[in-house]
Amino acid sequence: MNTLKRLIATFATSLALTGAAWAQDPIKIALVHGLSGSSFEAFSKQAQTGFELGLEYATKGTNAVNGRPIEVIIKDTQFKPDVARAVLAEAYGDDEVLLAVGATSSGVTKGMLPIAEEYEKILIVEPAVADSLTGPDSNRYVFKTSRNSSMDMQAQAIALQPDENLFVATLAEDYAFGRDGVAAFKAALDGTGATVVTEEYVPQGTADFTAATERMFNALKDHEGRKVILVYVAGGGDAPGKIQALDPNRYGIEISMGGHILPVLPTYKRFPGMEGAVYYYYEAYDNPVNKWLVETHQERFDGPPDFFTAGGMSAALAVVKALETAESYETDDLIAAMEGMSWDTPKGEMTFRPEDHQALQSMVHFKIRVDDAVDWAIPDLVRIIEADEMDIPVGRDNSQ
């Protein structure tokens, strides 16, 4: 009998030790971003900083959930679709990550979607923007914390206050980000009476916008009413400045564009009074999460958080909320926890729409103010455009 008791005690101790060891196993998360080979590297680095700050905030500095430490594994896509697919597969397979977050370029990220489905593991898209990332070619394993092109452009349309007297020419880069954005802008103008008179698409990396600009001038100049060139270019090349240098004012044409990261905002000083829409500006939101982010970032990095810093933090906050609320860390249970999930971010509350897993969120209507004491043009808050003011199309219905 004593022998039996000793065996039972030994077995119980073994189970306890096994359970304790399991509890300490790290939760592995991959950050799959372009860190070399593109001007978009700055976006990736901001997103990574924001993600790390988000984990810190959400876990109250422990960097652990349910007693298990979080291990972040960094993967570089080099902004190449084939490399992105390979490193994501490596993360899911060899590294055995629970989920992944990425990537930066919409075109690169689109190639990653089938990998998430193949491995049946979650991919949280941040900061890539294109609507198509939650569209028909996506799958149930994909969630998106970044805004999408429809949000960019519906907010931009609202900021322009469109009516039958508005005539617009659009300039965008010729890939998913640009084409999805212009399509979303046109959809947002539908029924307002405004007219898109021409669409110009240029290759990524374009530096000479002369020919495209002249075509836009010719398409707009003879219209009576408000004439606007909408610039939707994520990369370098200074398209707005080069259009401005060709003197659109001689035809009564103005330039409109969304906001951008802080290093680009000094170039907006050339456009005082311009109104547009932006995903985030650190002074626009008044809530506890954003207050912590602004104060902490200022203290550690001697400057305010930027556009994609807030995005990375929002993704991390979503991850922790899912880990805290899911019944288990099996993929299906994580999906069940995330569909319809709301959580607090630097931009206020976001919600994953159950149908296509796009995070519904607010946008900022701004007006540019120039202050000689500030290095960049200041996108002063006109108002917050709430998520329910925008009719964001459902991309893929995952409930079917």
Side-chain angles (χ1 to χ4, degrees):
M1 188 68 175
N2 288 337
T3 302
L4 179 59
K5 285 182 178 179
R6 283 196 299 272
L7 286 171
I8 292 172
T10 301
F11 181 63
T13 301
S14 177
L15 283 177
L17 290 173
T18 300
W22 176 87
Q24 296 304 311
D25 284 347
I27 300 169
K28 296 181 181 181
I29 298 168
L31 279 187
V32 185
H33 285 134
L35 298 172
S36 58
S38 171
S39 60
F40 290 172
E41 290 173 32
F43 302 172
S44 303
K45 291 174 182 175
Q46 286 182 17
Q48 180 176 333
T49 297
F51 192 84
E52 291 167 351
L53 289 172
L55 291 180
E56 178 182 345
Y57 180 87
T59 64
K60 297 180 174 58
T62 67
N63 206 44
V65 177
N66 296 328
R68 296 175 62 182
I70 296 172
E71 179 184 345
V72 177
I73 297 172
I74 309 298
K75 300 287 186 180
D76 182 8
T77 70
Q78 301 174 35
F79 294 94
K80 298 176 181 177
D82 56 336
V83 174
R85 289 191 292 270
V87 296
L88 181 59
E90 179 181 75
Y92 286 145
D94 297 344
D95 297 321
E96 298 182 334
V97 301
L98 182 66
L99 56 83
V101 180
T104 311
S105 161
S106 292
V108 170
T109 306
K110 194 168 184 179
M112 294 163 57
L113 307 184
I115 307 300
E117 187 170 34
E118 177 184 345
Y119 282 86
E120 298 183 348
K121 290 191 175 184
I122 288 171
L123 171 65
I124 296 178
V125 174
E126 177 67 51
V129 172
D131 283 14
S132 54
L133 298 175
T134 51
D137 294 333
S138 189
N139 57 74
R140 66 187 293 264
Y141 303 98
V142 176
F143 287 77
K144 192 163 179 287
T145 53
S146 56
R147 92 279 185 195
N148 66 14
S149 299
S150 287
M151 292 173 191
D152 274 350
M153 288 309 191
Q154 288 201 25
Q156 191 73 17
I158 290 169
L160 286 173
Q161 302 175 40
D163 59 24
E164 64 275 5
N165 294 312
L166 176 65
F167 299 90
V168 184
T170 63
L171 176 69
E173 290 170 304
D174 193 8
Y175 74 114
F177 171 82
R179 291 209 171 255
D180 283 8
V182 172
F185 180 72
K186 291 169 64 180
L189 291 184
D190 190 36
T192 67
T195 303
V196 174
V197 298
T198 190
E199 302 168 34
E200 289 290 333
Y201 296 96
V202 296
Q204 286 183 270
T206 293
D208 185 354
F209 298 91
T210 305
T213 299
E214 291 296 344
R215 289 193 293 269
M216 290 188 291
F217 284 178
N218 288 332
L220 284 169
K221 64 182 182 180
D222 294 329
H223 287 282
E224 296 291 333
R226 186 182 180 195
K227 294 170 281 195
V228 176
I229 290 176
L230 176 69
V231 180
Y232 194 57
V233 175
D238 189 21
K242 290 176 178 176
I243 294 170
Q244 186 84 332
L246 294 171
D247 192 16
N249 291 330
R250 61 193 155 123
Y251 300 120
I253 297 171
E254 60 185 278
I255 294 173
S256 179
M257 53 190 166
H260 216 303
I261 61 174
L262 293 175
V264 176
L265 286 183
T267 67
Y268 281 50
K269 285 191 169 186
R270 297 167 294 184
F271 309 101
M274 182 186 74
E275 294 189 48
V278 67
Y279 165 78
Y280 172 84
Y281 184 64
Y282 70 97
E283 292 182 326
Y285 287 96
D286 182 13
N287 62 65
V289 183
N290 192 52
K291 182 180 179 183
W292 182 91
L293 172 61
V294 173
E295 291 178 352
T296 304
H297 198 282
Q298 186 74 47
E299 177 184 326
R300 295 185 189 175
F301 302 102
D302 195 29
D306 211 342
F307 209 88
F308 296 107
T309 321
M313 185 174 188
S314 298
L317 295 170
V319 168
V320 174
K321 178 73 177 284
L323 294 175
E324 290 176 339
T325 56
E327 289 188 5
S328 80
Y329 292 169
E330 295 296 324
T331 297
D332 283 348
D333 285 338
L334 286 169
I335 290 173
M338 293 171 71
E339 287 184 337
M341 183 182 82
S342 295
W343 73 102
D344 292 328
T345 80
K347 295 177 56 174
E349 185 179 81
M350 291 187 187
T351 301
F352 280 129
R353 183 164 53 185
E355 292 87 352
D356 62 357
H357 302 170
Q358 170 64 53
L360 302 179
Q361 58 199 272
S362 64
M363 299 288 285
V364 177
H365 176 184
F366 68 82
K367 184 174 183 177
I368 290 297
R369 174 169 59 91
V370 174
D371 183 339
D372 291 339
V374 179
D375 290 340
W376 55 81
I378 302 166
D380 277 339
L381 175 66
V382 176
R383 71 182 186 92
I384 299 296
I385 300 170
E386 300 293 349
D388 60 8
E389 296 181 59
M390 297 177 284
D391 183 16
I392 307 302
V394 174
R396 167 192 168 89
D397 191 344
N398 290 290
S399 66
Q400 295 180 350

